[in-house]
Amino acid sequence: MDFFFEGYLLSHGNVIGFIAGTLTTISFLPQVYYVYRSKKTTDISLSMYLLFFFGVLTWLVYGLILGSPPIIFFNAITLLLSGAVLLAKLIY
Amino acid sequence: MDFFFEGYLLSHGNVIGFIAGTLTTISFLPQVYYVYRSKKTTDISLSMYLLFFFGVLTWLVYGLILGSPPIIFFNAITLLLSGAVLLAKLIY
């Protein structure tokens, strides 16, 4: 992996991990907003959110085992947000 | 973190990470199947999938920087699957 800003990337790995975690975590916010405002979840797959919810729960356990604050932090928030969508799917 | 199967968890951290990655990755399969079969994406948030797609892309860059096969492997597949949902949202 040899390209012009490789040095920059290698020295800023953590920042990139933080940006990635932030993006994938906050991405659920618009979906939560939409389902609770519209109260419509027909096109949202229940099995996706069930699998995803338990997957994120498992990432959280993994983060606790590793003692890795970023993995714990991002997955705890994603668990809440994806849980909110899952709940909306079950209610509406 | 002291509970009865703590020892088991600590020694099986990688397995748990693998299970977590598998669950969150395959969770997109039912959503991909649904949107391409129904051709309906009204309730799916475009901004969620845009943010999520670029977030997963950033995780992939992070995995390449770290040289971490699991992070690369799972995020490459999630990129394809979430990209397929994003594409469906743009088409339908």
Side-chain angles (χ1 to χ4, degrees), chain B:
Chain B
M1 188 179 70
D2 239 342
F3 44 87
F4 51 88
F5 60 99
E6 183 191 345
Y8 173 83
L9 278 183
L10 286 176
S11 62
H12 292 72
N14 282 335
V15 170
I16 289 164
F18 184 79
I19 294 168
T22 304
L23 282 172
T24 45
T25 298
I26 62 172
S27 71
F28 285 89
L29 279 171
Q31 187 69 76
V32 172
Y33 173 75
Y34 176 87
V35 290
Y36 283 97
R37 198 200 56 187
S38 70
K39 300 202 182 350
K40 287 194 299 169
T41 60
T42 323
D43 303 330
I44 293 174
S45 160
L46 176 60
S47 30
M48 167 180 164
Y49 274 86
L50 279 172
L51 283 167
F52 191 84
F53 183 78
F54 286 105
V56 170
L57 189 61
T58 316
W59 275 121
L60 190 53
V61 168
Y62 181 68
L64 287 168
I65 294 169
L66 242 59
S68 158
I71 294 182
I72 296 167
F73 173 71
F74 285 122
N75 284 288
I77 298 175
T78 307
L79 193 69
L80 290 177
L81 294 175
S82 57
V85 178
L86 180 58
L87 192 65
K89 179 67 186 175
L90 295 172
I91 299 172
Y92 304 127

Side-chain angles (χ1 to χ4, degrees), chain A residues 23-89:
Chain A
L23 283 173
T24 45
T25 298
I26 62 171
S27 70
F28 285 89
L29 279 171
Q31 187 68 76
V32 172
Y33 174 75
Y34 176 88
V35 290
Y36 283 97
R37 197 200 57 187
S38 70
K39 301 203 178 356
K40 287 197 298 169
T41 60
T42 322
D43 302 332
I44 293 173
S45 159
L46 175 61
S47 29
M48 166 179 165
Y49 275 86
L50 279 171
L51 283 167
F52 191 82
F53 183 79
F54 286 105
V56 170
L57 189 62
T58 314
W59 275 123
L60 191 52
V61 169
Y62 181 67
L64 288 167
I65 293 169
L66 240 60
S68 157
I71 294 182
I72 296 168
F73 173 72
F74 286 122
N75 283 289
I77 297 175
T78 307
L79 193 69
L80 290 176
L81 294 176
S82 57
V85 178
L86 180 58
L87 192 65
K89 179 68 185 175

